Amino acid sequence: MKHRFLTGFVLFLGLSLSLCSSQTCVLNDKDGLGRVFDGIGGLSGGGATSRLLVNYAEPYRSQILDYLFKPNFGASLHILKVEIGGDAQTTDGTEPSHMHYENDENYFRGYEWWLMKEAKKRNPNITLIGLPWAFPGWVGHGKNWPYDFPDITATYVVNWILGAKQCHDLDIHYVGIWNERNYDSKYIKVLRNTLDKVGLTGVGIIAADGDWSIANAMLVDPYLNESVEAIGAHYPGTTTVKEALKTQKKLWSSEDYSTFNNEVGGGCWARILNQNYVNGLMTATISWNLVASYYEELPFGRDGLMTAEEPWSGNYVVESPIWITAHTTQFAQPGWTYLETVGHLAQGGSYVALTDERGNLTVVIETMTHDHSVCVRPPLPPFNVTSQNATFQLKGSFASIKELQVWRSQFHFKTKKPSFFEKLAPLKLFDGSFTLNLAEDEVYTLTTITTGQKGSCTGSPPSARFPKAYKDNFNVRNPPFSEAPNFADQTGVFEYYINMTDPGPHVFTLRQVLTEKPVTWVSDADQTISVIGDYQWQNLTVTCDVFMESVKTGGVFIAARVDKGGQSIRSAKGVFFWVFADGTYKVTSDLTGQTVLAEGQSGTRAHGWHTLSLTVEGQYASGLLNGYPLWKNAVVLTPKNGWAAIGTHSFELAQFDNFAVVAEY
């Protein structure tokens, strides 16, 4: 492989965080170092973004996890941040709480425990963070706000941290403060006190997982300042504010990226990983989200570091952000220190340098152009990047370095033939100087670390559509996860359930378990709903046995062509076949039940099993109850396609069994 390295003329770089003088960048530690590097991570949750990952069969599931967490293999992440499930919709679905009710504790619900254990299995040094986006309704005591009773909220969060240790031997290193719209100083101090009282003095608080505004309060409130270990901002646009710097706290981009993971998404990630420190002195950057493992038609589809959205086929895609991450994570570890001499290149782009203070040096350079590095937020101001020669001069303890390992990624937007994380021949240094001929849209790592590796697994299976014929009887005696495969809860929580009162065929069922609306982060529906299948389904038959547990007020539905989910779930349209415990039924074209296509008497009651069947073909729909026609030829004009679904009329207990779909595209 041919290098583009030349001999360079050197001038001293007088200012850090600035342009290289005469395009010579001095890397020097003799006048001191910058901030300590805290790592690069991914975020699972906020919400339900890893939902489909757990349903992958081996070896594919382990391969995906290796690409994310295994050191010197793929992304080699330093940080895993997870949602502390709160029973509410938090972007792409709901995640179950460890305490649905005040007297209820269960530290085996959901999949975040499993994910943290898998990450730690691969990297025992990984930093674990928990953050609640939402809370069970009881925490708010009837209000959609969790902080009126800070002792209760703090105990709820601390219980999750204690459960992680006691049930899974997981040490949570940090806990974040909900939410990105506001924060409560009193609660932060109560949380710090509650953590300390139970011996969790080593668990740091990140606040306020929003903007930088908490810094103003920290500067005038010494106890608040003492309670917070790191100020975490979401989507900071690579910049911070002077008040945050004055606190002398760690500054983190505690949620960032959130961009479609094509090559432009990879360019966005490359730019912010460097410039979050160069421009904003942020020492950790965490991607929302870790892995795009949710139905792609939900909000922010494919906004993960890689894509794993087909457990039924086993297909997954290692996207460019995985290898862009590796440019830093494989060659610098938390505890390393940034040099003071980092900055921007004269013709655009940026560079950072880190050291372990034991003689090792890693330099990461990016030359991403504006249009090829746009993130979904915030808006990106104009800037220019052009090809350039950049000379680097090593000084101080680095002057004696004779050789650097070289890794390169080239996006090649014009030819559409990118090459990512390519190992080049080592670079020999003369008098501590080297020059790179940098093209547009490239990433380089130059490092003394020799352990880097571009890991690879046997190729994932071909992509395939969701099976056109699918069924699940939920007969799992000891389920590894509380959720049934491929169901994606959008409001409410649907869990495996053992019905001990039914000696017949319905012992093992799926149950909607919430009876109270949670403290929400986005606007949950007033009904509960879980979607499944292929969004492109048009003509299909959905069948399911249903059991209402609320006398007189109970109601359940099955649905087809459901067109929305995630934070838009309230406005979902489709074909919804409802039956109620008062002996009636109705068919609607919306989840709210307002647009009625048919209605009448059904004879359905609570505490008895009924079989519903919904067929939608072209512009017509019909329904069966217990095998007999109940209604037919309801006219359905829109939507034309969507998922299948099950759900309840309100937050109420109800059971589902023998779910089946037969579909056509």
Side-chain angles (χ1 to χ4, degrees):
M1 187 65 58
K2 217 173 179 182
H3 285 311
R4 295 181 307 205
F5 299 121
L6 307 168
T7 302
F9 178 72
V10 180
L11 289 175
F12 178 72
L13 177 63
L15 283 174
S16 62
L17 307 180
S18 62
L19 293 177
C20 297
S21 301
S22 300
Q23 195 57 327
T24 294
C25 309
V26 176
L27 304 178
N28 192 357
D29 61 352
K30 71 175 183 179
D31 295 324
L33 296 170
R35 293 190 171 219
V36 174
F37 176 58
D38 294 307
I40 294 171
L43 202 170
S44 173
T49 54
S50 302
R51 175 64 194 89
L52 298 176
L53 175 61
V54 298
N55 303 137
Y56 271 79
E58 295 295 349
Y60 309 117
R61 190 172 70 178
S62 288
Q63 291 173 2
I64 296 165
L65 293 165
D66 285 348
Y67 278 116
L68 293 169
F69 300 116
K70 186 177 179 180
N72 299 315
F73 189 83
S76 307
L77 292 171
H78 305 132
I79 300 170
L80 173 59
K81 181 177 179 179
V82 303
E83 177 175 354
I84 300 175
D87 292 339
Q89 172 62 246
T90 52
T91 299
D92 289 301
T94 67
E95 297 199 25
S97 170
H98 57 289
M99 297 178 70
H100 292 320
Y101 310 104
E102 195 165 5
N103 60 353
D104 163 59
E105 288 187 61
N106 184 325
Y107 299 98
F108 295 91
R109 294 187 184 118
Y111 39 84
E112 303 296 5
W113 314 106
W114 164 84
L115 183 60
M116 287 189 286
K117 287 189 288 187
E118 290 293 325
K120 186 177 178 183
K121 184 190 304 181
R122 288 161 174 80
N123 178 4
N125 298 318
I126 196 163
T127 298
L128 299 176
I129 304 172
L131 172 67
W133 269 254
F135 297 84
W138 64 268
V139 173
H141 283 258
K143 293 184 179 179
N144 195 41
W145 182 246
Y147 296 138
D148 284 349
F149 302 89
D151 292 315
I152 290 174
T153 305
T155 299
Y156 168 84
V157 171
V158 169
N159 282 346
W160 183 87
I161 298 172
L162 292 171
K165 182 61 176 179
Q166 294 165 1
C167 298
H168 303 284
D169 195 26
L170 292 168
D171 293 302
I172 304 301
H173 301 95
Y174 295 91
V175 62
I177 301 299
W178 183 88
N179 63 36
E180 62 183 20
R181 297 184 178 89
N182 209 336
Y183 66 90
D184 188 285
S185 296
K186 180 180 178 181
Y187 167 70
I188 293 171
K189 291 181 276 190
V190 170
L191 177 59
R192 179 70 270 160
N193 187 53
T194 307
L195 288 165
D196 293 345
K197 278 184 177 180
V198 297
L200 295 172
T201 56
V203 176
I205 293 177
I206 307 168
D209 266 308
D211 58 23
W212 300 111
S213 60
I214 193 173
N216 296 297
M218 291 170 63
L219 290 173
V220 297
D221 186 337
Y223 188 33
L224 176 63
N225 190 66
E226 186 179 335
S227 299
V228 174
E229 184 166 336
I231 302 179
H234 288 194
Y235 309 97
T238 77
T239 62
T240 186
V241 297
K242 65 179 185 297
E243 291 80 10
L245 292 168
K246 285 181 181 178
T247 67
Q248 298 183 24
K249 295 291 184 176
K250 298 177 180 180
L251 306 181
W252 286 10
S253 179
S254 54
E255 182 179 322
D256 216 327
Y257 182 61
S258 185
T259 300
F260 191 76
N261 61 17
N262 59 7
E263 270 63 51
V264 172
C268 154
W269 188 232
R271 178 176 54 79
I272 64 178
L273 284 183
N274 263 23
Q275 296 194 28
N276 274 348
Y277 188 77
V278 171
N279 300 335
L281 294 180
M282 286 168 268
T283 55
T285 299
I286 300 173
S287 165
W288 189 92
N289 51 66
L290 172 73
V291 52
S293 206
Y294 47 99
Y295 291 113
E296 189 169 331
E297 294 82 6
L298 288 168
F300 303 101
R302 273 187 57 188
D303 279 17
L305 297 177
M306 63 181 292
T307 304
E309 58 189 18
E310 290 186 14
W312 48 87
S313 72
N315 177 262
Y316 63 87
V317 183
V318 183
E319 311 281 5
S320 62
I322 289 288
W323 302 120
I324 295 305
T325 308
H327 272 281
T328 301
T329 54
Q330 290 200 22
F331 309 108
Q333 298 303 313
W336 283 43
T337 307
Y338 283 100
L339 273 59
E340 286 280 6
T341 46
V342 302
H344 292 277
L345 300 171
Q347 302 303 317
S350 66
Y351 66 98
V352 295
L354 303 101
T355 180
D356 64 355
E357 299 184 65
R358 296 194 297 269
N360 283 307
L361 174 70
T362 291
V363 184
V364 184
I365 303 161
E366 59 80 22
T367 59
M368 298 309 305
T369 57
H370 180 280
D371 292 352
H372 294 153
S373 65
V374 176
C375 304
V376 72
R377 64 185 112 163
L380 183 61
F383 63 86
N384 293 315
V385 177
T386 57
S387 299
Q388 58 195 300
N389 291 335
T391 298
F392 291 81
Q393 178 70 48
L394 308 190
K395 287 193 172 185
S397 69
F398 310 123
S400 60
I401 293 174
K402 303 300 182 186
E403 181 178 276
L404 292 172
Q405 307 300 308
V406 184
W407 294 79
R408 182 181 66 188
S409 291
Q410 297 177 302
F411 282 83
H412 287 311
F413 283 97
K414 290 182 179 178
T415 64
K416 297 183 178 179
K417 294 180 179 179
S419 64
F420 293 114
F421 204 56
E422 179 184 16
K423 191 177 192 309
L424 306 183
L427 170 65
K428 304 294 184 182
L429 274 64
F430 301 97
D431 297 324
S433 176
F434 62 92
T435 297
L436 283 71
N437 175 225
L438 300 171
E440 298 172 3
D441 300 320
E442 294 186 332
V443 180
Y444 273 90
T445 298
L446 299 103
T447 180
T448 57
I449 300 297
T450 59
T451 53
Q453 181 182 352
K454 185 172 184 177
S456 64
C457 301
T458 54
S460 71
S463 175
R465 307 298 290 267
F466 194 96
K468 290 189 291 185
Y470 182 85
K471 59 184 178 180
D472 193 338
N473 61 15
F474 311 121
N475 288 353
V476 183
R477 185 171 296 273
N478 295 300
F481 302 100
S482 55
E483 301 94 338
N486 304 317
F487 279 90
D489 301 347
Q490 300 302 304
T491 296
V493 173
F494 295 74
E495 296 178 350
Y496 280 115
Y497 180 65
I498 301 178
N499 187 356
M500 303 302 292
T501 63
D502 190 334
H506 300 292
V507 176
F508 299 97
T509 67
L510 196 65
R511 192 189 200 199
Q512 200 295 117
V513 299
L514 302 187
T515 58
E516 181 181 11
K517 193 169 185 176
V519 176
T520 60
W521 180 74
V522 294
S523 188
D524 289 43
D526 296 319
Q527 306 74 24
T528 75
I529 178 173
S530 187
V531 302
I532 189 172
D534 192 314
Y535 189 80
Q536 300 306 318
W537 279 345
Q538 297 181 356
N539 301 326
L540 67 158
T541 296
V542 183
T543 303
C544 192
D545 298 339
V546 299
F547 184 93
M548 293 172 280
E549 299 186 42
S550 297
V551 177
K552 294 184 180 179
T553 60
V556 296
F557 68 82
I558 61 174
R561 294 186 183 176
V562 177
D563 70 341
K564 290 180 184 176
Q567 54 197 14
S568 303
I569 189 61
R570 289 183 68 88
S571 59
K573 301 290 191 288
V575 183
F576 298 83
F577 175 17
W578 311 74
V579 295
F580 300 95
D582 65 0
T584 64
Y585 80 91
K586 68 177 178 179
V587 184
T588 69
S589 63
D590 56 347
L591 176 60
T592 59
Q594 299 302 304
T595 305
V596 178
L597 305 178
E599 59 186 335
Q601 297 296 311
S602 62
T604 49
R605 295 289 183 266
H607 298 292
W609 283 97
H610 306 281
T611 301
L612 305 184
S613 183
L614 167 65
T615 298
V616 183
E617 187 168 355
Q619 296 184 0
Y620 298 97
S622 59
L624 305 180
L625 174 64
N626 299 325
Y628 295 95
L630 183 63
W631 55 276
K632 61 181 180 179
N633 294 332
V635 177
V636 180
L637 299 179
T638 59
K640 301 295 186 183
N641 55 274
W643 297 292
I646 57 175
T648 64
H649 180 247
S650 63
F651 285 88
E652 62 186 272
L653 300 176
Q655 296 177 56
F656 302 84
D657 202 3
N658 298 317
F659 176 86
V661 176
V662 178
E664 300 175 12
Y665 294 105

